[in-house]
Amino acid sequence: MLDDRTTAAAWPAAYPQGYAVVDVETTGLARDDRIVSAAVYRLDAQGNVEDHWYSLVNPERDPGPVWIHGLTSDMLEGAPLFGDIAREFAHRLDGRVLVAHNAVFDWSMIAREYARAEHVAPVRQRLCTIALSKELSLPLPNHKLESLAAHFGVVQRHAHNALDDARVLAEAFRPSLHTAAERGVRLPLLECRPLTEWSTAPSAPRIGRQASGSSYRPNGWRPARKRPPCPHPNPGRYEADKPLKQGMRVAFSGDTSVERELLEDRAVEAGLHVATSVSRLTSLLVTNDPDAPTSKTVRAKSYGTPIIDEAAFTQLLRDVAPAGE
């Protein structure tokens, strides 16, 4: 590994000159969902922490999955609106590569908030630490933040708190960056395209059925992928306010904001069984439109199968309990 004495001399010239490690907690994943807290750790070219910043944000609506992020309506009532923090947030991002775990999600939420506030986030590139860990072939059991942190010996103090998640990611990103520099790995940088227009009208219905100008691309047809069988036995149905368990059979219905294939990949990596249909053995149905008369939602309701939306499912994916617990 590159150490502090050799870093400056040996550092790849093509690497960025600074990073903004970001985490946002949100009310959900839909086009009209909002940020409820945001944190930024600014790092120099070698990944050393320069400073950090954190703020609660009043979402001007229901806070969503309180049981995940812990932020209630009372806690957020006196918090600043996103427009009030937009300039300070932008100052933290300016001229830096945005780094996040599943960066497309964080960037999408940030871009929409700036569009609502009639500002443009000064971000031109993003780097996803999931993609970087794959580039480095890190021996991780899955691509959860806690697994990346554990690989580098980083201790999580308060999971799902934006400031602590950003700290954990910053501490895990630095050794990842040094490993990439040592191996001469090209960083998986992607372009960030800010939204330039925004409609204040809420989406109705929610995700996947917006007008053509929405920031999400609807899921198109794709060929079926044959996945390896899930190695864990089915522990039964999902129970509200409890974690998912490895081996649970999860089915998806309707359009999703995050690409369906990515959601399914993340579910498989977490040890879940992705089912193509709903039966009495299905543990959970994920849909953003539970009232749609699709065969899966109709069957789920007839069997009493639990139904949750994409936002709740994405949050639950962060802490899937091992099989047998």
Side-chain angles (χ1 to χ4, degrees), residues 1-249:
M1 291 288 290
L2 297 169
D3 58 32
D4 293 336
R5 293 170 298 176
T6 61
T7 293
W11 206 255
Y15 275 27
Q17 294 304 301
Y19 305 88
V21 177
V22 172
D23 186 77
V24 296
E25 296 297 322
T26 68
T27 63
L29 294 174
R31 182 173 180 268
D32 56 344
D33 273 309
R34 308 297 301 271
I35 290 175
V36 295
S37 64
V40 182
Y41 267 73
R42 291 196 292 188
L43 312 181
D44 66 16
Q46 286 78 44
N48 302 304
V49 174
E50 296 177 331
D51 59 26
H52 65 267
W53 169 85
Y54 170 76
S55 179
L56 296 177
V57 182
N58 185 338
E60 302 180 277
R61 52 154 289 176
D62 182 274
V66 174
W67 64 93
I68 300 293
H69 53 59
L71 300 176
T72 65
S73 295
D74 289 342
M75 296 169 65
L76 297 171
E77 183 178 1
L81 304 179
F82 187 86
D84 299 328
I85 68 165
R87 293 188 183 278
E88 179 63 23
F89 198 179
H91 173 66
R92 302 282 168 173
L93 301 174
D94 193 17
R96 297 169 185 267
V97 171
L98 184 150
V99 177
H101 207 63
N102 190 18
V104 65
F105 167 72
D106 293 80
W107 168 245
S108 296
M109 296 300 300
I110 291 168
R112 289 200 296 274
E113 289 286 9
Y114 270 97
R116 290 187 189 96
E118 299 183 346
H119 291 286
V120 176
V123 180
R124 296 297 172 263
Q125 290 181 308
R126 67 179 184 267
L127 188 157
C128 179
T129 47
I130 295 176
L132 180 57
S133 67
K134 291 181 178 180
E135 289 285 337
L136 298 176
S137 299
L138 298 182
L140 305 177
N142 52 56
H143 294 293
K144 295 164 62 175
L145 176 58
E146 66 180 47
S147 297
L148 181 64
H151 177 76
F152 289 112
V154 180
V155 177
Q156 178 101 54
R157 301 192 187 108
H158 191 177
H160 312 308
N161 172 278
L163 182 60
D164 198 53
D165 281 351
R167 174 193 63 81
V168 168
L169 188 58
E171 292 184 18
F173 175 63
R174 184 176 186 273
S176 298
L177 183 63
H178 280 242
T179 300
E182 183 182 46
R183 298 180 186 175
V185 172
R186 183 177 180 180
L187 298 180
L189 301 175
L190 294 176
E191 180 184 4
C192 288
R193 297 183 179 180
L195 296 177
T196 56
E197 297 181 359
W198 182 259
S199 171
T200 57
S203 57
R206 289 171 66 87
I207 302 172
R209 303 198 181 193
Q210 297 101 13
S212 59
S214 84
S215 57
Y216 278 135
R217 177 163 55 92
N219 295 288
W221 178 88
R222 61 181 174 83
R225 287 176 57 190
K226 185 175 182 180
R227 301 179 184 276
C230 181
H232 310 294
N234 185 355
R237 289 183 172 175
Y238 166 73
E239 297 180 45
D241 299 326
K242 292 186 178 181
L244 295 172
K245 294 182 180 180
Q246 290 183 328
M248 281 187 169
R249 296 176 65 94

